[in-house]
Amino acid sequence: LINEEKTQIKPNLIMILILILSLDSIFQYIFKYNIIGFKIYEYYRLTSFFENEPIIGSFIMKLFFPLFILFLYKKKKDFLTLAVLLISIIVIFLSGERMPFLQVIFGITIFFLFFYKFTKKSLLFIFSTFFLISSILLINPSSLDRYKDTFNGITLLLKDINDKKVITNTPSKNSIYTYYLNFKSGLLLWKNEPILGNGFRYYKNNCQKILNTNDAMGCSTHPHNIYIEILSDYGLLGVLIFLAFLFNISYNFLKDNLNRKYLGVFITIVVTSIPFVTSQSIFSSYYGSIYFFYIFILRYYSNSK
């Protein structure tokens, strides 16, 4: 994705990749299997070429911002790039993954509030996005059900916590309860060694062994939040070092890099580093690979001015 001679991100390659994944995802959404036969996950979640991993929305979201920023700062804006960006937002919305869509909205908001002056073309992009998503909801109202389910789940969970009910993971509970138990299990393990943590991948290998039966319901391969994962394995000191690392690279980039074309990389890191979002493991999944690859790109452009 990077041209080494000109030290520039190549938007055409990103656009082609997004377009292939988006069109395949739309095909899977309509026919319930993608172009090479991979079936849709759990009847409504898109996977595209990831087969049984419903992560296509998260993957496209991480490609969206670099292309989005490059498009806005182009002197001559082309319709094809605009169309690909709008299609990618629709696919992220239809993917069944709630967090990537919310991260897209959050990232766009951050960019327009702090880094960009509104123009007629930017307002047209926002209006087009709103219009397309509204049209999808009118044609297929069920697309909104997962987001309604999230809101209802948070409301029920807060009520149960306020009533001091024992939170369990049962089929009748909302999926928000599962994430709550994931977070709780990681925090309980962190309390064993709050300063230095328990050690590398301790949560994955010992969660089921250490916690009692009810708390162990939240155990998984990772606690689904990068900060809780770091707390559990490396403690408060690990989180402070990690935050200092993020602050340092962000400060150096914003201070030294006058080329706003690479803000897309920075915004991707920001939206994937929000403390209270759900995530995959930062140490043992493609999520971590892309996360640290983006950090490398950000440091590269900071150093190269």
Side-chain angles (χ1 to χ4, degrees):
L1 302 180
I2 300 175
N3 184 325
E4 294 183 358
E5 294 180 359
K6 296 182 179 180
T7 63
Q8 293 180 350
I9 296 174
K10 300 187 73 173
N12 289 341
L13 290 180
I14 301 176
M15 186 169 64
I16 291 171
L17 181 57
I18 291 178
L19 186 59
I20 292 172
L21 292 172
S22 296
L23 293 178
D24 182 69
S25 298
I26 292 173
F27 184 93
Q28 188 181 50
Y29 180 80
I30 296 173
F31 298 102
K32 309 306 178 185
Y33 56 87
N34 83 326
I35 59 174
I36 59 175
F38 292 156
K39 294 182 179 180
I40 202 167
Y41 184 80
E42 291 183 348
Y43 305 105
Y44 71 96
R45 299 188 67 180
L46 304 181
T47 63
S48 186
F49 297 107
F50 292 102
E51 194 173 2
N52 60 351
E53 292 286 336
I55 57 176
I56 186 63
S58 175
F59 191 87
I60 292 177
M61 182 273 293
K62 293 176 179 65
L63 296 173
F64 170 83
F65 286 110
L67 183 63
F68 174 64
I69 302 303
L70 288 170
F71 169 75
L72 287 181
Y73 281 113
K74 286 173 66 174
K75 292 182 179 179
K76 294 183 178 180
K77 296 175 175 56
D78 59 290
F79 176 78
L80 179 60
T81 305
L82 174 61
V84 170
L85 288 168
L86 293 175
I87 291 172
S88 67
I89 292 177
I90 293 172
V91 170
I92 293 169
F93 180 78
L94 294 176
S95 69
E97 297 177 73
R98 295 159 291 191
M99 191 53 66
F101 180 71
L102 296 176
Q103 287 172 312
V104 165
I105 301 301
F106 180 64
I108 291 174
T109 303
I110 288 176
F111 176 71
F112 282 127
L113 285 178
F114 297 103
F115 300 108
Y116 194 79
K117 293 182 180 180
F118 280 101
T119 64
K120 291 181 179 179
K121 292 181 179 179
S122 61
L123 290 173
L124 177 62
F125 176 84
I126 295 173
F127 175 78
S128 301
T129 302
F130 178 78
F131 175 77
L132 286 172
I133 294 176
S134 300
S135 300
I136 292 172
L137 293 178
L138 289 174
I139 297 172
N140 185 10
S142 63
S143 301
L144 192 59
D145 289 346
R146 188 162 170 79
Y147 296 89
K148 291 180 180 178
D149 183 66
T150 300
F151 177 78
N152 293 333
I154 293 173
T155 303
L156 290 172
L157 176 63
L158 292 176
K159 184 178 183 302
D160 284 350
I161 293 174
N162 186 59
D163 295 339
K164 297 183 179 180
K165 291 184 178 180
V166 176
I167 309 299
T168 58
N169 186 11
T170 63
S172 61
K173 296 290 185 180
N174 189 281
S175 61
I176 293 298
Y177 282 69
T178 302
Y179 287 122
Y180 170 79
L181 290 171
N182 291 151
F183 295 171
K184 182 181 178 181
S185 63
L187 292 173
L188 287 173
L189 290 185
W190 166 58
K191 289 181 179 180
N192 294 334
E193 294 289 343
I195 304 301
L196 298 178
N198 297 285
F200 177 69
R201 302 298 283 152
Y202 182 88
Y203 177 92
K204 176 183 178 182
N205 298 323
N206 297 281
C207 186
Q208 291 280 359
K209 302 174 185 177
I210 303 299
L211 300 182
N212 63 49
T213 303
N214 184 56
D215 293 330
M217 289 181 180
C219 291
S220 180
T221 54
H222 57 93
H224 291 80
N225 179 280
I226 60 175
Y227 294 95
I228 296 177
E229 183 176 14
I230 296 173
L231 276 173
S232 174
D233 291 352
Y234 300 106
L236 185 61
L237 180 61
V239 168
L240 291 176
I241 292 173
F242 181 69
L243 289 173
F245 171 69
L246 291 180
F247 176 81
N248 178 260
I249 62 168
S250 299
Y251 174 77
N252 288 334
F253 176 77
L254 295 174
K255 176 174 68 73
D256 297 335
N257 195 320
L258 300 178
N259 195 334
R260 295 299 180 95
K261 291 192 298 182
Y262 307 117
L263 277 170
V265 177
F266 172 72
I267 291 175
T268 303
I269 294 174
V270 170
V271 299
T272 52
S273 300
I274 302 170
F276 303 107
V277 303
T278 57
S279 70
Q280 294 176 307
S281 172
I282 198 172
F283 300 120
S284 61
S285 69
Y286 95 93
Y287 181 94
S289 302
I290 296 179
Y291 186 85
F292 287 110
F293 177 63
Y294 270 55
I295 286 176
F296 162 76
I297 295 175
L298 199 68
R299 287 182 61 84
Y300 176 82
Y301 285 118
S302 296
N303 294 334
S304 65
K305 305 292 187 281

